[in-house]
Amino acid sequence: NQMRPPSQGMWGGPPTAGGLWQTPGSAMQGPPRTVDNRPMSSHRKAGYNTQPTQFDPLKQGTSMMGPAPPLQQKSADSPEEQCLEMERKVNALIEESAQLSLQKDYPLALEKAKEASKKERMLCKHREQQGLGDQINIDLTYSVHFNLAVQYQKNQLYTEALNTYSLIVRNKQYAQSGRLRVNMGNIYYEQNKLSLAIKMYRLALDQIPNTGKDLKYKIARNIGNAYVKIGQYQDAIGSYETIMEGGNPDIQTGFNLLLCYYALGDRDKLKRHFTKLLNIRKYGATDDDDLDEVMDDTEKEAELAHYDDHLRNEIRDRRKQHMETLLTAARLIAPMIERDWLLGYEYIIEQLRHYELKDASSKLAAEMEMCKALNFLKHKKYNKAIESLKAFEKKDQTLKSKAATNLSYLYFLEGDIENGQKYADMSVAVDKFNAKALVNRANFHYVKTEYDKAK
């Protein structure tokens, strides 16, 4: 047999454009394209076409498609709507009762609180009858009972208030109800049942978490006040010292602690504690600026503009109370912290002068100088008293008026009419509404038989 050339043998002839060397899916020429030898870029085999179709994976057809039906409206007479309307009425009564209590109309506030309690019970009963017991509003029940207990307390119906508070405290559904034992302790305190008051305060203190330090300190102060009223000053000192050393001391607690030391006659602790008392920050004070000076300027501007700022007034009143408390503490302990009363006054005045370096507007040292001068009168050292009072002529106008009034009275007792009238006129010139100064001047006119002027 004759062998064929390689080009025409088992290789099937010479390579062609559609033969062995053709790359599938290329642009090379070849046999006519069919479905089986379509290009790889075709989309028809995958089930896609150029005609848009709706997405219907569940084969529901077009019969089920269309706009959603409108939502079914609840009837106004449905049980749920009736309950919601009753809730709104109960809330309105609670708010009305609270507003009346704020206006100090306590009897009417109590009536509204009772009405709210009655309607709330009707609401719970209605829900149970309608099979809606799982929708009972626990917060609403708590609000009703709490408001009722407060109004009982405001009307001094202490037995009813304690019973209502007990209902709340014993209910395990109210997680934070234990702190209401403070209110129960306050009622016992007002009833002078101090042992029960301390017990309630301690039970409340045990249920306050560590995050509520401010509330804990307030309860501890209540405990200290109760111990003071009983006369157990040492136990009261323990409660007050806990607050003072806890990092958030206040002027009232510090003053109460000073009173306990005073009652026990502890001179050393009185001196040390008075120094700590001076370091208590005033209400609203900051480290960045001197708010006292800012307050003075802004108050003058407010007076000129006839503008009343309630916040500024509150800060001013609290700072005034702070200064008065410090002055009361100084006047109380000055005569007893040393064996010689004069040394005690000098120690206190020195401490107050250091305090004025931080707060120049306090003027407490000058006030204590005035008290020292009056104590000279008490000990019948008139020359010392006159010398001390005359030193105020070059000081603040307010203090100058006080000193002049006292000097006028002293000269009147000594029969020195000329000097007495001089200082009486001086005090009236500083403050024409000073009643004591006006009485002194009238006395001098009377002694001179100037009855018309005296009148």
Side-chain angles (χ1 to χ4, degrees), residues 410-454:
L410 279 175
Y411 284 124
F412 180 81
L413 294 178
E414 292 182 347
D416 191 343
I417 305 301
E418 182 179 356
N419 286 325
Q421 189 167 11
K422 170 188 170 183
Y423 283 103
D425 294 338
M426 184 186 299
S427 59
V428 172
V430 174
D431 183 6
K432 62 181 180 179
F433 299 107
N434 188 339
K436 296 178 180 179
L438 290 170
V439 170
N440 286 345
R441 189 163 70 170
N443 289 337
F444 288 113
H445 287 307
Y446 183 84
V447 170
K448 291 181 176 181
T449 67
E450 297 173 351
Y451 301 121
D452 292 335
K453 293 183 178 180

mmCIF file of all heavy atoms in Angstrom, residues 410-454:
data_model
loop_
_atom_site.group_PDB
_atom_site.id
_atom_site.type_symbol
_atom_site.label_atom_id
_atom_site.label_comp_id
_atom_site.label_asym_id
_atom_site.label_seq_id
_atom_site.Cartn_x
_atom_site.Cartn_y
_atom_site.Cartn_z
ATOM 1 N N LEU A 410 -22.532 103.856 123.146
ATOM 2 C CA LEU A 410 -21.567 103.890 124.252
ATOM 3 C C LEU A 410 -21.415 105.301 124.819
ATOM 4 O O LEU A 410 -21.408 105.506 126.043
ATOM 5 C CB LEU A 410 -20.211 103.377 123.769
ATOM 6 C CG LEU A 410 -20.025 101.858 123.698
ATOM 7 C CD1 LEU A 410 -18.675 101.529 123.074
ATOM 8 C CD2 LEU A 410 -20.120 101.257 125.090
ATOM 9 N N TYR A 411 -21.266 106.288 123.939
ATOM 10 C CA TYR A 411 -21.131 107.668 124.414
ATOM 11 C C TYR A 411 -22.414 108.150 125.093
ATOM 12 O O TYR A 411 -22.357 108.966 126.020
ATOM 13 C CB TYR A 411 -20.770 108.594 123.249
ATOM 14 C CG TYR A 411 -19.317 108.480 122.822
ATOM 15 C CD1 TYR A 411 -18.968 108.171 121.515
ATOM 16 C CD2 TYR A 411 -18.290 108.697 123.732
ATOM 17 C CE1 TYR A 411 -17.642 108.077 121.132
ATOM 18 C CE2 TYR A 411 -16.968 108.607 123.368
ATOM 19 C CZ TYR A 411 -16.642 108.288 122.070
ATOM 20 O OH TYR A 411 -15.318 108.197 121.699
ATOM 21 N N PHE A 412 -23.537 107.641 124.667
ATOM 22 C CA PHE A 412 -24.793 108.008 125.326
ATOM 23 C C PHE A 412 -24.811 107.493 126.763
ATOM 24 O O PHE A 412 -25.252 108.188 127.699
ATOM 25 C CB PHE A 412 -25.973 107.440 124.531
ATOM 26 C CG PHE A 412 -27.316 107.751 125.128
ATOM 27 C CD1 PHE A 412 -27.922 108.984 124.912
ATOM 28 C CD2 PHE A 412 -27.985 106.821 125.919
ATOM 29 C CE1 PHE A 412 -29.156 109.278 125.464
ATOM 30 C CE2 PHE A 412 -29.215 107.102 126.477
ATOM 31 C CZ PHE A 412 -29.811 108.340 126.256
ATOM 32 N N LEU A 413 -24.331 106.255 126.952
ATOM 33 C CA LEU A 413 -24.280 105.702 128.312
ATOM 34 C C LEU A 413 -23.302 106.475 129.178
ATOM 35 O O LEU A 413 -23.517 106.624 130.387
ATOM 36 C CB LEU A 413 -23.879 104.222 128.249
ATOM 37 C CG LEU A 413 -24.886 103.260 127.583
ATOM 38 C CD1 LEU A 413 -24.333 101.841 127.564
ATOM 39 C CD2 LEU A 413 -26.224 103.285 128.329
ATOM 40 N N GLU A 414 -22.202 106.959 128.585
ATOM 41 C CA GLU A 414 -21.213 107.703 129.347
ATOM 42 C C GLU A 414 -21.604 109.170 129.539
ATOM 43 O O GLU A 414 -20.929 109.902 130.270
ATOM 44 C CB GLU A 414 -19.858 107.629 128.645
ATOM 45 C CG GLU A 414 -19.241 106.229 128.652
ATOM 46 C CD GLU A 414 -17.883 106.202 127.994
ATOM 47 O OE1 GLU A 414 -17.535 107.202 127.322
ATOM 48 O OE2 GLU A 414 -17.174 105.192 128.136
ATOM 49 N N GLY A 415 -22.661 109.609 128.853
ATOM 50 C CA GLY A 415 -23.098 110.997 128.982
ATOM 51 C C GLY A 415 -22.351 111.955 128.100
ATOM 52 O O GLY A 415 -22.466 113.176 128.256
ATOM 53 N N ASP A 416 -21.579 111.437 127.123
ATOM 54 C CA ASP A 416 -20.847 112.281 126.189
ATOM 55 C C ASP A 416 -21.778 112.578 125.012
ATOM 56 O O ASP A 416 -21.764 111.893 123.980
ATOM 57 C CB ASP A 416 -19.572 111.572 125.732
ATOM 58 C CG ASP A 416 -18.630 112.499 124.975
ATOM 59 O OD1 ASP A 416 -19.089 113.575 124.533
ATOM 60 O OD2 ASP A 416 -17.453 112.141 124.810
ATOM 61 N N ILE A 417 -22.578 113.634 125.147
ATOM 62 C CA ILE A 417 -23.612 113.926 124.164
ATOM 63 C C ILE A 417 -22.997 114.358 122.841
ATOM 64 O O ILE A 417 -23.466 113.967 121.757
ATOM 65 C CB ILE A 417 -24.558 115.024 124.689
ATOM 66 C CG1 ILE A 417 -25.136 114.620 126.058
ATOM 67 C CG2 ILE A 417 -25.676 115.284 123.686
ATOM 68 C CD1 ILE A 417 -25.899 113.327 126.035
ATOM 69 N N GLU A 418 -21.956 115.133 122.892
ATOM 70 C CA GLU A 418 -21.360 115.672 121.668
ATOM 71 C C GLU A 418 -20.820 114.564 120.782
ATOM 72 O O GLU A 418 -21.165 114.479 119.590
ATOM 73 C CB GLU A 418 -20.252 116.663 122.032
ATOM 74 C CG GLU A 418 -19.618 117.315 120.809
ATOM 75 C CD GLU A 418 -18.533 118.302 121.195
ATOM 76 O OE1 GLU A 418 -18.351 118.527 122.419
ATOM 77 O OE2 GLU A 418 -17.870 118.837 120.287
ATOM 78 N N ASN A 419 -19.958 113.682 121.317
ATOM 79 C CA ASN A 419 -19.408 112.593 120.530
ATOM 80 C C ASN A 419 -20.489 111.588 120.143
ATOM 81 O O ASN A 419 -20.481 111.014 119.042
ATOM 82 C CB ASN A 419 -18.298 111.883 121.303
ATOM 83 C CG ASN A 419 -17.018 112.696 121.353
ATOM 84 O OD1 ASN A 419 -16.692 113.396 120.388
ATOM 85 N ND2 ASN A 419 -16.307 112.628 122.465
ATOM 86 N N GLY A 420 -21.435 111.373 121.053
ATOM 87 C CA GLY A 420 -22.513 110.436 120.763
ATOM 88 C C GLY A 420 -23.348 110.881 119.575
ATOM 89 O O GLY A 420 -23.660 110.086 118.678
ATOM 90 N N GLN A 421 -23.723 112.171 119.537
ATOM 91 C CA GLN A 421 -24.513 112.670 118.422
ATOM 92 C C GLN A 421 -23.697 112.669 117.126
ATOM 93 O O GLN A 421 -24.237 112.442 116.039
ATOM 94 C CB GLN A 421 -25.010 114.083 118.721
ATOM 95 C CG GLN A 421 -26.021 114.593 117.708
ATOM 96 C CD GLN A 421 -26.726 115.839 118.194
ATOM 97 O OE1 GLN A 421 -26.333 116.448 119.199
ATOM 98 N NE2 GLN A 421 -27.781 116.226 117.499
ATOM 99 N N LYS A 422 -22.398 112.900 117.248
ATOM 100 C CA LYS A 422 -21.534 112.878 116.077
ATOM 101 C C LYS A 422 -21.579 111.503 115.397
ATOM 102 O O LYS A 422 -21.763 111.401 114.166
ATOM 103 C CB LYS A 422 -20.103 113.207 116.507
ATOM 104 C CG LYS A 422 -19.045 112.981 115.434
ATOM 105 C CD LYS A 422 -17.657 113.155 116.026
ATOM 106 C CE LYS A 422 -16.597 112.691 115.037
ATOM 107 N NZ LYS A 422 -15.241 112.778 115.598
ATOM 108 N N TYR A 423 -21.443 110.457 116.177
ATOM 109 C CA TYR A 423 -21.459 109.113 115.602
ATOM 110 C C TYR A 423 -22.867 108.686 115.191
ATOM 111 O O TYR A 423 -23.026 107.899 114.242
ATOM 112 C CB TYR A 423 -20.849 108.113 116.582
ATOM 113 C CG TYR A 423 -19.341 108.187 116.620
ATOM 114 C CD1 TYR A 423 -18.687 108.817 117.677
ATOM 115 C CD2 TYR A 423 -18.566 107.656 115.598
ATOM 116 C CE1 TYR A 423 -17.305 108.907 117.714
ATOM 117 C CE2 TYR A 423 -17.182 107.738 115.628
ATOM 118 C CZ TYR A 423 -16.554 108.360 116.685
ATOM 119 O OH TYR A 423 -15.184 108.440 116.695
ATOM 120 N N ALA A 424 -23.881 109.199 115.855
ATOM 121 C CA ALA A 424 -25.247 108.913 115.435
ATOM 122 C C ALA A 424 -25.519 109.510 114.062
ATOM 123 O O ALA A 424 -26.111 108.856 113.179
ATOM 124 C CB ALA A 424 -26.245 109.443 116.467
ATOM 125 N N ASP A 425 -25.089 110.730 113.847
ATOM 126 C CA ASP A 425 -25.244 111.361 112.540
ATOM 127 C C ASP A 425 -24.435 110.631 111.469
ATOM 128 O O ASP A 425 -24.878 110.502 110.318
ATOM 129 C CB ASP A 425 -24.810 112.829 112.601
ATOM 130 C CG ASP A 425 -25.730 113.663 113.482
ATOM 131 O OD1 ASP A 425 -26.888 113.234 113.688
ATOM 132 O OD2 ASP A 425 -25.291 114.731 113.979
ATOM 133 N N MET A 426 -23.255 110.150 111.859
ATOM 134 C CA MET A 426 -22.410 109.426 110.914
ATOM 135 C C MET A 426 -23.088 108.137 110.448
ATOM 136 O O MET A 426 -23.093 107.807 109.246
ATOM 137 C CB MET A 426 -21.058 109.107 111.563
ATOM 138 C CG MET A 426 -20.060 108.443 110.620
ATOM 139 S SD MET A 426 -18.558 107.946 111.503
ATOM 140 C CE MET A 426 -17.987 109.534 112.098
ATOM 141 N N SER A 427 -23.670 107.398 111.376
ATOM 142 C CA SER A 427 -24.322 106.135 111.018
ATOM 143 C C SER A 427 -25.562 106.366 110.167
ATOM 144 O O SER A 427 -25.844 105.610 109.238
ATOM 145 C CB SER A 427 -24.681 105.345 112.276
ATOM 146 O OG SER A 427 -25.537 106.104 113.110
ATOM 147 N N VAL A 428 -26.313 107.438 110.444
ATOM 148 C CA VAL A 428 -27.499 107.746 109.636
ATOM 149 C C VAL A 428 -27.085 108.193 108.240
ATOM 150 O O VAL A 428 -27.769 107.897 107.240
ATOM 151 C CB VAL A 428 -28.359 108.819 110.323
ATOM 152 C CG1 VAL A 428 -29.490 109.291 109.414
ATOM 153 C CG2 VAL A 428 -28.935 108.281 111.629
ATOM 154 N N ALA A 429 -25.965 108.911 108.129
ATOM 155 C CA ALA A 429 -25.495 109.360 106.816
ATOM 156 C C ALA A 429 -25.143 108.179 105.920
ATOM 157 O O ALA A 429 -25.348 108.224 104.702
ATOM 158 C CB ALA A 429 -24.290 110.277 106.990
ATOM 159 N N VAL A 430 -24.606 107.116 106.507
ATOM 160 C CA VAL A 430 -24.259 105.932 105.727
ATOM 161 C C VAL A 430 -25.504 105.150 105.335
ATOM 162 O O VAL A 430 -25.645 104.693 104.199
ATOM 163 C CB VAL A 430 -23.282 105.032 106.523
ATOM 164 C CG1 VAL A 430 -23.023 103.726 105.772
ATOM 165 C CG2 VAL A 430 -21.979 105.770 106.758
ATOM 166 N N ASP A 431 -26.430 105.004 106.286
ATOM 167 C CA ASP A 431 -27.654 104.250 106.024
ATOM 168 C C ASP A 431 -28.815 104.993 106.681
ATOM 169 O O ASP A 431 -29.021 104.904 107.891
ATOM 170 C CB ASP A 431 -27.527 102.827 106.583
ATOM 171 C CG ASP A 431 -28.742 101.969 106.267
ATOM 172 O OD1 ASP A 431 -29.629 102.446 105.525
ATOM 173 O OD2 ASP A 431 -28.807 100.819 106.758
ATOM 174 N N LYS A 432 -29.575 105.701 105.870
ATOM 175 C CA LYS A 432 -30.659 106.521 106.426
ATOM 176 C C LYS A 432 -31.844 105.696 106.906
ATOM 177 O O LYS A 432 -32.754 106.217 107.539
ATOM 178 C CB LYS A 432 -31.123 107.539 105.393
ATOM 179 C CG LYS A 432 -31.709 106.931 104.129
ATOM 180 C CD LYS A 432 -32.125 108.027 103.167
ATOM 181 C CE LYS A 432 -32.718 107.439 101.885
ATOM 182 N NZ LYS A 432 -33.139 108.510 100.952
ATOM 183 N N PHE A 433 -31.849 104.404 106.597
ATOM 184 C CA PHE A 433 -32.922 103.524 107.063
ATOM 185 C C PHE A 433 -32.491 102.658 108.248
ATOM 186 O O PHE A 433 -33.195 101.706 108.610
ATOM 187 C CB PHE A 433 -33.396 102.614 105.926
ATOM 188 C CG PHE A 433 -33.954 103.365 104.742
ATOM 189 C CD1 PHE A 433 -33.242 103.463 103.570
ATOM 190 C CD2 PHE A 433 -35.187 103.991 104.839
ATOM 191 C CE1 PHE A 433 -33.751 104.161 102.487
ATOM 192 C CE2 PHE A 433 -35.710 104.691 103.759
ATOM 193 C CZ PHE A 433 -34.990 104.770 102.581
ATOM 194 N N ASN A 434 -31.347 102.985 108.844
ATOM 195 C CA ASN A 434 -30.851 102.234 109.996
ATOM 196 C C ASN A 434 -31.676 102.631 111.227
ATOM 197 O O ASN A 434 -31.533 103.724 111.775
ATOM 198 C CB ASN A 434 -29.361 102.552 110.216
ATOM 199 C CG ASN A 434 -28.742 101.674 111.271
ATOM 200 O OD1 ASN A 434 -29.428 101.094 112.115
ATOM 201 N ND2 ASN A 434 -27.415 101.571 111.241
ATOM 202 N N ALA A 435 -32.553 101.728 111.648
ATOM 203 C CA ALA A 435 -33.488 102.053 112.733
ATOM 204 C C ALA A 435 -32.756 102.340 114.040
ATOM 205 O O ALA A 435 -33.114 103.275 114.782
ATOM 206 C CB ALA A 435 -34.477 100.912 112.913
ATOM 207 N N LYS A 436 -31.725 101.571 114.335
ATOM 208 C CA LYS A 436 -30.996 101.763 115.590
ATOM 209 C C LYS A 436 -30.282 103.116 115.600
ATOM 210 O O LYS A 436 -30.258 103.812 116.632
ATOM 211 C CB LYS A 436 -29.993 100.640 115.788
ATOM 212 C CG LYS A 436 -30.652 99.271 115.955
ATOM 213 C CD LYS A 436 -29.607 98.173 116.107
ATOM 214 C CE LYS A 436 -30.278 96.813 116.264
ATOM 215 N NZ LYS A 436 -29.276 95.730 116.389
ATOM 216 N N ALA A 437 -29.721 103.492 114.466
ATOM 217 C CA ALA A 437 -29.048 104.786 114.388
ATOM 218 C C ALA A 437 -30.051 105.927 114.542
ATOM 219 O O ALA A 437 -29.768 106.934 115.210
ATOM 220 C CB ALA A 437 -28.305 104.908 113.062
ATOM 221 N N LEU A 438 -31.228 105.783 113.964
ATOM 222 C CA LEU A 438 -32.254 106.817 114.087
ATOM 223 C C LEU A 438 -32.732 106.957 115.537
ATOM 224 O O LEU A 438 -32.972 108.060 116.030
ATOM 225 C CB LEU A 438 -33.432 106.486 113.168
ATOM 226 C CG LEU A 438 -33.155 106.621 111.656
ATOM 227 C CD1 LEU A 438 -34.310 106.041 110.862
ATOM 228 C CD2 LEU A 438 -32.923 108.079 111.287
ATOM 229 N N VAL A 439 -32.855 105.822 116.242
ATOM 230 C CA VAL A 439 -33.258 105.867 117.649
ATOM 231 C C VAL A 439 -32.191 106.569 118.482
ATOM 232 O O VAL A 439 -32.497 107.393 119.369
ATOM 233 C CB VAL A 439 -33.531 104.449 118.182
ATOM 234 C CG1 VAL A 439 -33.708 104.462 119.692
ATOM 235 C CG2 VAL A 439 -34.763 103.854 117.514
ATOM 236 N N ASN A 440 -30.914 106.267 118.198
ATOM 237 C CA ASN A 440 -29.832 106.933 118.940
ATOM 238 C C ASN A 440 -29.859 108.453 118.731
ATOM 239 O O ASN A 440 -29.737 109.234 119.687
ATOM 240 C CB ASN A 440 -28.480 106.379 118.487
ATOM 241 C CG ASN A 440 -28.216 104.984 119.019
ATOM 242 O OD1 ASN A 440 -28.901 104.532 119.943
ATOM 243 N ND2 ASN A 440 -27.249 104.301 118.447
ATOM 244 N N ARG A 441 -30.039 108.887 117.496
ATOM 245 C CA ARG A 441 -30.059 110.319 117.242
ATOM 246 C C ARG A 441 -31.265 110.989 117.896
ATOM 247 O O ARG A 441 -31.176 112.110 118.432
ATOM 248 C CB ARG A 441 -30.067 110.588 115.732
ATOM 249 C CG ARG A 441 -29.863 112.055 115.401
ATOM 250 C CD ARG A 441 -29.462 112.275 113.960
ATOM 251 N NE ARG A 441 -30.564 111.984 113.050
ATOM 252 C CZ ARG A 441 -30.532 112.289 111.737
ATOM 253 N NH1 ARG A 441 -29.448 112.841 111.219
ATOM 254 N NH2 ARG A 441 -31.538 111.988 110.967
ATOM 255 N N ALA A 442 -32.399 110.286 117.882
ATOM 256 C CA ALA A 442 -33.586 110.828 118.551
ATOM 257 C C ALA A 442 -33.361 110.963 120.051
ATOM 258 O O ALA A 442 -33.827 111.926 120.690
ATOM 259 C CB ALA A 442 -34.785 109.929 118.264
ATOM 260 N N ASN A 443 -32.637 110.022 120.637
ATOM 261 C CA ASN A 443 -32.345 110.103 122.084
ATOM 262 C C ASN A 443 -31.514 111.342 122.418
ATOM 263 O O ASN A 443 -31.748 112.002 123.447
ATOM 264 C CB ASN A 443 -31.610 108.849 122.542
ATOM 265 C CG ASN A 443 -32.514 107.623 122.544
ATOM 266 O OD1 ASN A 443 -33.744 107.750 122.627
ATOM 267 N ND2 ASN A 443 -31.911 106.447 122.465
ATOM 268 N N PHE A 444 -30.554 111.649 121.552
ATOM 269 C CA PHE A 444 -29.730 112.833 121.812
ATOM 270 C C PHE A 444 -30.560 114.109 121.670
ATOM 271 O O PHE A 444 -30.398 115.066 122.446
ATOM 272 C CB PHE A 444 -28.533 112.859 120.870
ATOM 273 C CG PHE A 444 -27.499 111.819 121.197
ATOM 274 C CD1 PHE A 444 -27.244 110.758 120.335
ATOM 275 C CD2 PHE A 444 -26.769 111.896 122.380
ATOM 276 C CE1 PHE A 444 -26.295 109.807 120.646
ATOM 277 C CE2 PHE A 444 -25.815 110.941 122.685
ATOM 278 C CZ PHE A 444 -25.580 109.889 121.824
ATOM 279 N N HIS A 445 -31.446 114.165 120.687
ATOM 280 C CA HIS A 445 -32.328 115.327 120.558
ATOM 281 C C HIS A 445 -33.259 115.449 121.775
ATOM 282 O O HIS A 445 -33.541 116.559 122.241
ATOM 283 C CB HIS A 445 -33.164 115.213 119.275
ATOM 284 C CG HIS A 445 -32.393 115.459 118.020
ATOM 285 N ND1 HIS A 445 -31.642 116.600 117.832
ATOM 286 C CD2 HIS A 445 -32.254 114.719 116.881
ATOM 287 C CE1 HIS A 445 -31.068 116.561 116.638
ATOM 288 N NE2 HIS A 445 -31.427 115.427 116.042
ATOM 289 N N TYR A 446 -33.677 114.321 122.290
ATOM 290 C CA TYR A 446 -34.553 114.339 123.467
ATOM 291 C C TYR A 446 -33.824 114.877 124.696
ATOM 292 O O TYR A 446 -34.369 115.660 125.483
ATOM 293 C CB TYR A 446 -35.083 112.932 123.732
ATOM 294 C CG TYR A 446 -36.050 112.854 124.893
ATOM 295 C CD1 TYR A 446 -37.401 113.151 124.725
ATOM 296 C CD2 TYR A 446 -35.608 112.493 126.169
ATOM 297 C CE1 TYR A 446 -38.295 113.086 125.780
ATOM 298 C CE2 TYR A 446 -36.481 112.434 127.236
ATOM 299 C CZ TYR A 446 -37.828 112.726 127.044
ATOM 300 O OH TYR A 446 -38.714 112.675 128.094
ATOM 301 N N VAL A 447 -32.536 114.421 124.854
ATOM 302 C CA VAL A 447 -31.763 114.917 125.999
ATOM 303 C C VAL A 447 -31.554 116.415 125.892
ATOM 304 O O VAL A 447 -31.539 117.138 126.912
ATOM 305 C CB VAL A 447 -30.405 114.156 126.043
ATOM 306 C CG1 VAL A 447 -29.493 114.818 127.065
ATOM 307 C CG2 VAL A 447 -30.628 112.705 126.382
ATOM 308 N N LYS A 448 -31.437 116.918 124.691
ATOM 309 C CA LYS A 448 -31.235 118.360 124.489
ATOM 310 C C LYS A 448 -32.578 119.114 124.482
ATOM 311 O O LYS A 448 -32.585 120.319 124.189
ATOM 312 C CB LYS A 448 -30.525 118.604 123.150
ATOM 313 C CG LYS A 448 -29.074 118.139 123.127
ATOM 314 C CD LYS A 448 -28.471 118.454 121.759
ATOM 315 C CE LYS A 448 -27.007 118.101 121.717
ATOM 316 N NZ LYS A 448 -26.401 118.429 120.404
ATOM 317 N N THR A 449 -33.640 118.424 124.821
ATOM 318 C CA THR A 449 -35.007 119.000 124.842
ATOM 319 C C THR A 449 -35.419 119.524 123.483
ATOM 320 O O THR A 449 -36.269 120.413 123.349
ATOM 321 C CB THR A 449 -35.128 120.145 125.898
ATOM 322 O OG1 THR A 449 -34.313 121.240 125.475
ATOM 323 C CG2 THR A 449 -34.728 119.666 127.277
ATOM 324 N N GLU A 450 -34.873 118.903 122.417
ATOM 325 C CA GLU A 450 -35.283 119.234 121.053
ATOM 326 C C GLU A 450 -36.353 118.218 120.645
ATOM 327 O O GLU A 450 -36.112 117.298 119.843
ATOM 328 C CB GLU A 450 -34.084 119.206 120.121
ATOM 329 C CG GLU A 450 -33.011 120.232 120.463
ATOM 330 C CD GLU A 450 -31.752 120.074 119.628
ATOM 331 O OE1 GLU A 450 -31.655 119.038 118.897
ATOM 332 O OE2 GLU A 450 -30.882 120.933 119.676
ATOM 333 N N TYR A 451 -37.527 118.395 121.220
ATOM 334 C CA TYR A 451 -38.569 117.378 121.096
ATOM 335 C C TYR A 451 -39.096 117.249 119.665
ATOM 336 O O TYR A 451 -39.440 116.147 119.208
ATOM 337 C CB TYR A 451 -39.708 117.689 122.064
ATOM 338 C CG TYR A 451 -39.249 117.735 123.510
ATOM 339 C CD1 TYR A 451 -39.423 118.887 124.266
ATOM 340 C CD2 TYR A 451 -38.637 116.629 124.096
ATOM 341 C CE1 TYR A 451 -39.009 118.933 125.578
ATOM 342 C CE2 TYR A 451 -38.217 116.674 125.405
ATOM 343 C CZ TYR A 451 -38.401 117.827 126.175
ATOM 344 O OH TYR A 451 -37.975 117.870 127.454
ATOM 345 N N ASP A 452 -39.179 118.355 118.964
ATOM 346 C CA ASP A 452 -39.670 118.284 117.591
ATOM 347 C C ASP A 452 -38.718 117.463 116.701
ATOM 348 O O ASP A 452 -39.178 116.637 115.900
ATOM 349 C CB ASP A 452 -39.817 119.689 117.003
ATOM 350 C CG ASP A 452 -40.941 120.475 117.687
ATOM 351 O OD1 ASP A 452 -41.864 119.799 118.221
ATOM 352 O OD2 ASP A 452 -40.906 121.716 117.655
ATOM 353 N N LYS A 453 -37.421 117.693 116.873
ATOM 354 C CA LYS A 453 -36.450 116.911 116.106
ATOM 355 C C LYS A 453 -36.443 115.450 116.545
ATOM 356 O O LYS A 453 -36.265 114.544 115.723
ATOM 357 C CB LYS A 453 -35.057 117.510 116.249
ATOM 358 C CG LYS A 453 -34.900 118.892 115.613
ATOM 359 C CD LYS A 453 -33.485 119.369 115.744
ATOM 360 C CE LYS A 453 -33.298 120.730 115.069
ATOM 361 N NZ LYS A 453 -31.919 121.230 115.177
ATOM 362 N N ALA A 454 -36.593 115.240 117.831
ATOM 363 C CA ALA A 454 -36.618 113.863 118.332
ATOM 364 C C ALA A 454 -37.819 113.111 117.767
ATOM 365 O O ALA A 454 -37.749 111.916 117.429
ATOM 366 C CB ALA A 454 -36.651 113.869 119.867
#
